[in-house]
Amino acid sequence: MAWSQLTWAELPDALGAAQQSAILPVGATEQHGPHMGCGMDAVIADVLCKAVAERTGVPMLPTLPYGCSLGHSRRWPGTIPVQPITLIELVKQIGDGAYHSGVRRLFIVNTHVTNAAPLRCALEMLRAEHDDLMVAVINSPQISERVRQFHFADAEDWHANDAETSLMLALAPEMVRPDLLTAADDPDRTEGQVFAHPVNRTSLNGVTGFPSLATAEKGRQGFEWMVEDLSALIQRGMSQTPPLAQSFFDRVG
């Protein structure tokens, strides 16, 4: 169910049927090695959340195609980053609008690793302002244990790796250059590092992992797990309430 296709007259009933819930997909536009299109993160956010919205009946807000991708440096063309503060404020204002439209459970689904910190900041700001709004930030590789194992099989600092390439071979094969998969392999150099280095200091070609291992079959299986497990997570959240009913604003005594 797409928020953008609902009229203002239809939205209250749609939200009521979904326990006042909405899904916000957040991706990025950034280089994904020599073998894959720069819009991969936004595509997976959009396709994943559309499938979950259809399964759960929760309205899906339009996908954000830009994210906090500063770590990809300027070494390779294609990355269009926004500052962390920009993403924080944008998601905060989207959350405000969703709240005033009737949303009380907001599921932010993130498909780009370094969006996580700004999205957590937006969560903090939203729940501090709206006492009856519950917000979850769900990072797609961490949806469940089997999804985590799928994403991290060939690289702990995964990017444009086996998992992401397999997903695109299954969902958007036009974004993948099959003849470049073997040449795109580049091992993870982040193990044991104390510091968080930008990609220009950890990769020769913008990849972390082994896209040559990718297959459409693995991508279909991984995507099926992601849809199934994210749907279950959101359905669980649709029935949850805070453990205590105490107001954010009421002082003790």
Side-chain angles (χ1 to χ4, degrees):
M1 180 182 298
W3 181 288
S4 58
Q5 295 179 10
L6 294 167
T7 71
W8 68 261
E10 296 166 339
L11 194 55
D13 287 343
L15 288 175
Q19 303 300 315
Q20 309 306 125
S21 303
I23 300 169
L24 174 61
V26 183
T29 299
E30 61 186 28
Q31 70 81 20
H32 268 79
H35 69 291
M36 195 152 58
C38 296
M40 181 266 154
D41 287 330
V43 168
I44 190 59
D46 191 66
V47 176
L48 171 63
C49 290
K50 281 179 178 174
V52 171
E54 182 176 346
R55 182 175 291 205
T56 61
V58 175
M60 175 189 130
L61 292 154
T63 299
L64 286 182
Y66 299 104
C68 183
S69 302
L70 297 172
H72 284 284
S73 75
R74 298 180 183 176
R75 186 171 178 82
W76 305 280
T79 301
I80 312 294
V82 299
Q83 293 289 331
I85 191 65
T86 303
L87 185 59
I88 292 168
E89 189 57 43
L90 179 57
V91 172
K92 166 60 167 60
Q93 293 185 26
I94 291 170
D96 289 339
Y99 178 85
H100 294 307
S101 291
V103 173
R104 296 298 181 267
R105 291 176 169 87
L106 180 61
F107 300 94
I108 302 173
V109 179
N110 171 44
T111 56
H112 171 58
V113 62
T114 51
N115 285 344
L119 293 176
R120 175 68 195 198
C121 291
L123 176 154
E124 295 282 348
M125 295 167 70
L126 284 165
R127 69 182 185 184
E129 183 167 338
H130 306 294
D131 193 31
D132 56 342
L133 176 64
M134 292 181 286
V135 186
V137 174
I138 302 167
N139 299 306
S140 62
Q142 306 285 359
I143 291 169
S144 66
E145 180 56 28
R146 63 180 178 177
V147 170
R148 195 199 73 78
Q149 290 181 8
F150 167 68
H151 275 82
F152 294 97
D154 64 325
E156 190 63 29
D157 184 26
W158 55 276
H159 177 74
N161 66 336
D162 175 10
E164 289 198 327
T165 305
S166 292
L167 286 169
M168 288 299 97
L169 285 171
L171 303 173
E174 69 278 4
M175 296 187 68
V176 182
R177 312 296 182 262
D179 57 317
L180 297 178
L181 293 184
T182 300
D185 286 352
D186 201 30
D188 188 348
R189 297 179 176 86
T190 63
E191 185 177 356
Q193 294 293 320
V194 174
F195 297 99
H197 297 289
V199 182
N200 56 290
R201 295 186 184 275
T202 60
S203 176
L204 296 174
N205 61 1
V207 175
T208 303
F210 297 91
S212 65
L213 301 175
T215 67
E217 181 180 1
K218 282 196 287 189
R220 285 189 289 270
Q221 179 66 85
F223 184 70
E224 181 181 323
W225 290 340
M226 292 171 77
V227 172
E228 184 175 324
D229 296 350
L230 180 56
S231 296
L233 195 61
I234 287 177
Q235 286 170 329
R236 193 163 79 243
M238 289 168 67
S239 63
Q240 282 189 348
T241 57
L244 298 174
Q246 298 172 126
S247 170
F248 185 88
F249 303 105
D250 290 344
R251 188 186 301 270
V252 174

